[in-house]
Amino acid sequence: MDLRALVDKDIALTERALAKIRIAPPRRSHLRKVAEDFLTMARSYCEDAKHSRDQGELDKALANITYAHGWLDAGARVGLFDVGEDDQLFTLSE
């Protein structure tokens, strides 16, 4: 698989993950803000990845999309996101 195809595949995977997650902590919980921050970071890195890909900066795009999905995995693993026990899109603890 060439680098462009890998970047495209990883962006599609992360977009599927972004569509699936739901913020788990209740609105009045201090963890709600943490979950929202994780989600903002993931979305920002995903957008950066798409921009880098469109500019032909494939190495940078791959790094950005890896960071994006890392934020989602971390949030799912510590319980900030409800991912419906999806261990295909997310790295869960069990």
Side-chain angles (χ1 to χ4, degrees):
M1 177 179 300
D2 70 353
L3 186 54
R4 174 66 184 226
L6 179 62
V7 168
D8 288 342
K9 179 181 84 63
D10 285 358
I11 287 173
L13 181 77
T14 299
E15 287 179 328
R16 283 182 39 221
L18 281 165
K20 178 149 196 164
I21 67 158
R22 300 292 173 254
I23 292 178
R27 292 206 181 274
R28 295 180 64 192
S29 168
H30 69 281
L31 289 177
R32 179 74 177 212
K33 177 97 171 103
V34 174
E36 289 170 349
D37 188 46
F38 271 51
L39 185 54
T40 296
M41 293 299 291
R43 286 179 175 151
S44 295
Y45 274 111
C46 187
E47 289 305 311
D48 288 349
K50 290 189 275 187
H51 176 75
S52 294
R53 176 194 59 194
D54 294 345
Q55 297 299 311
E57 299 173 321
L58 298 178
D59 291 340
K60 189 174 179 181
L62 185 59
N64 283 325
I65 203 60
T66 300
Y67 267 81
H69 209 100
W71 279 101
L72 297 177
D73 273 344
R77 191 166 177 119
V78 300
L80 296 175
F81 302 136
D82 177 1
V83 298
E85 298 186 29
D86 185 335
D87 61 359
Q88 299 300 304
L89 288 175
F90 305 93
T91 304
L92 302 176
S93 62
E94 294 185 22

